[in-house]
Amino acid sequence: MTVILLALAAACCLGTGFVLQQIAAQHAPPQDYLSFRLLLDLVRMPRWVAGIVLMVTGMALGAVALGMGDITLVEPLMATNLLFAMALARWISRQRLGRSGWAGLWLLAGGVTAFIVAGQPHGGRNSEVGQLAQWLIMGGVLSTALLLAAIAKRERVHVSLEAALLGVAAGLLYGLQDALTRISGLRFGAGGWRALLTSWHPYAIVVLGVLALVMVQSAFESAPLRMSLPALTAAQPLAGIACGVGFLGDQLRVTPGALAFQAAGIAAVVAGIVLIGSHPAMPPGAGATDSSRELQPR
């Protein structure tokens, strides 16, 4: 129960922080797109700083949850950050949920519940399960994220496609970051600060965090929140679960019935994310009001 409450608190902080970041990022200069200069411009905006503080708090709570529980349990729960983002966006816009909003809410909540109940995630105490599998999965996730970002950088017309690609790329990096956070927590528990700081994992976490942050803020700057946040929210738990099962030793029930319910749960989560993310209550962002950005050279 403690792990569940920590993961939900992390989701609350993340969802609220994402909305505040997007509202601020839409005012950033277009020429900062996918550039580290974007962070330097955004840090001058109090609302963006507040969003970052909430996001960091959410990540810290998520790290504690990952240290106490399995990544295959924590990741689906943290995907509910979209519910909290929706709640804040609805309060700001005064939009009613309507059928699509309620359907998305129940699909997301029900999908997470179905996956956890059917899969019964457990195990994963050994961070050294299959070193070859670890490098292959990490390399696959990282290369896919960088490829999607490169495609988004070259895309010159469809800002909605750019935002979705960057959302998926950032979500993959955050999922990989969560897996490395789990490993770092295990190393710290086994050998203290010396074991942690002499490994490469905490430094990789920082690099991945900065890269993902640039991608997320560029996506928030370029298009409405509903174009990027659903993609990010869907990609992160999928990457985290792949890492958890692939090389962290996490285990799920593999009976035919359990696998069917897990697949249905994941499908419901993705469908709920799409419905909630496309709700008109989500902040419109620069992409809805400034169509000239689509024609700007990069």
Side-chain angles (χ1 to χ4, degrees):
M1 182 58 67
T2 301
V3 173
I4 292 174
L5 292 176
L6 283 170
L8 291 176
C12 179
C13 292
L14 289 171
T16 305
F18 284 145
V19 173
L20 294 178
Q21 290 170 45
Q22 197 277 335
I23 293 174
Q26 63 181 307
H27 301 294
Q31 61 268 24
D32 286 352
Y33 180 78
L34 278 181
S35 167
F36 290 104
R37 292 195 310 270
L38 177 60
L39 302 182
L40 298 178
D41 285 329
L42 289 174
V43 77
R44 302 171 187 172
M45 304 180 187
R47 184 171 290 179
W48 185 82
V49 174
I52 287 296
V53 170
L54 283 170
M55 188 181 77
V56 171
T57 302
M59 288 181 171
L61 291 171
V64 176
L66 287 167
M68 299 175 62
D70 301 317
I71 193 171
T72 46
L73 170 64
V74 175
E75 286 288 6
L77 290 171
M78 290 181 65
T80 61
N81 71 77
L82 197 59
L83 298 179
F84 298 99
M86 179 65 174
L88 177 58
R90 179 176 177 270
W91 179 76
I92 293 173
S93 66
R94 304 298 181 184
Q95 289 269 1
R96 299 182 64 180
L97 278 179
R99 290 183 179 179
S100 65
W102 282 110
L105 187 154
W106 286 111
L107 280 171
L108 179 54
V112 170
T113 302
F115 178 82
I116 292 174
V117 171
Q120 297 182 5
H122 63 282
R125 296 302 171 192
N126 180 11
S127 64
E128 305 297 334
V129 175
Q131 287 295 312
L132 177 59
Q134 175 178 336
W135 287 110
L136 287 175
I137 294 173
M138 287 173 48
V141 172
L142 180 59
S143 60
T144 301
L146 295 178
L147 177 61
L148 293 176
I151 294 173
K153 179 70 173 177
R154 293 180 60 85
E155 176 62 48
R156 294 177 180 271
V157 179
H158 304 291
V159 293
S160 59
L161 176 59
E162 296 175 11
L165 291 174
L166 289 176
V168 173
L172 292 176
L173 293 183
Y174 280 136
L176 181 56
Q177 185 185 48
D178 289 341
L180 296 181
T181 299
R182 172 68 181 281
I183 295 176
S184 297
L186 293 174
R187 289 188 178 277
F188 178 77
W193 286 106
R194 182 174 182 178
L196 176 63
L197 297 178
T198 53
S199 68
W200 57 270
H201 302 93
Y203 309 104
I205 289 171
V206 174
V207 173
L208 290 173
V210 173
L211 288 175
L213 187 60
V214 172
M215 294 178 186
V216 168
Q217 302 310 317
S218 296
F220 288 171
E221 175 198 13
S222 65
L225 193 65
R226 58 179 174 269
M227 301 296 182
S228 56
L229 190 54
L232 186 156
T233 307
Q236 181 173 353
L238 294 178
I241 291 171
C243 291
V245 175
F247 62 82
L248 287 176
D250 286 4
Q251 299 178 18
L252 298 169
R253 291 179 62 196
V254 293
T255 63
L259 289 176
F261 274 102
Q262 291 169 48
I266 291 295
V269 167
V270 173
I273 286 170
V274 172
L275 283 175
I276 294 174
S278 61
H279 196 278
M282 286 298 185
T289 58
D290 186 8
S291 59
S292 63
R293 183 197 175 287
E294 295 185 355
L295 303 177
Q296 289 183 358
R298 295 183 189 144

